[in-house]
Amino acid sequence: MTPEPCPFCGHVGVTVREGSTFRWRHAQCNVCGAQGPEIRAQTTGYGKPAEWERDAIEETIAEWNKRAPPTAPGER
């Protein structure tokens, strides 16, 4: 899944980062620092850690992509 551009600055570079603890992830714009909501990553149970991380990244990007698109100057 590909992240949409930042809704604040329009930059297309977004990175998934560790959130408030090792169990959480959030997407963050590489230019203005805007952050999406934190998503809980699986850390125990069925599956492998690499699968859990891949799933957390996919879900984090999906949540980032639900944000409102950037507005053109003068439309605010």
Side-chain angles (χ1 to χ4, degrees):
M1 178 174 287
T2 303
E4 296 291 327
C6 176
F8 299 103
C9 72
H11 185 70
V12 295
V14 175
T15 303
V16 174
R17 300 180 187 271
E18 189 171 289
S20 56
T21 71
F22 72 95
R23 292 186 177 126
W24 297 90
R25 305 289 180 272
H26 68 268
Q28 184 172 352
C29 175
N30 295 335
V31 171
C32 73
Q35 295 180 4
E38 286 195 332
I39 303 300
R40 190 173 194 284
Q42 180 179 352
T43 55
T44 62
Y46 179 77
K48 297 181 180 181
E51 296 169 348
W52 303 337
E53 187 63 23
R54 184 188 65 236
D55 292 346
I57 289 169
E58 289 290 320
E59 189 175 347
T60 301
I61 292 171
E63 286 299 313
W64 172 267
N65 288 346
K66 289 180 182 178
R67 299 180 69 178
T71 56
E75 290 184 12
R76 296 178 188 171

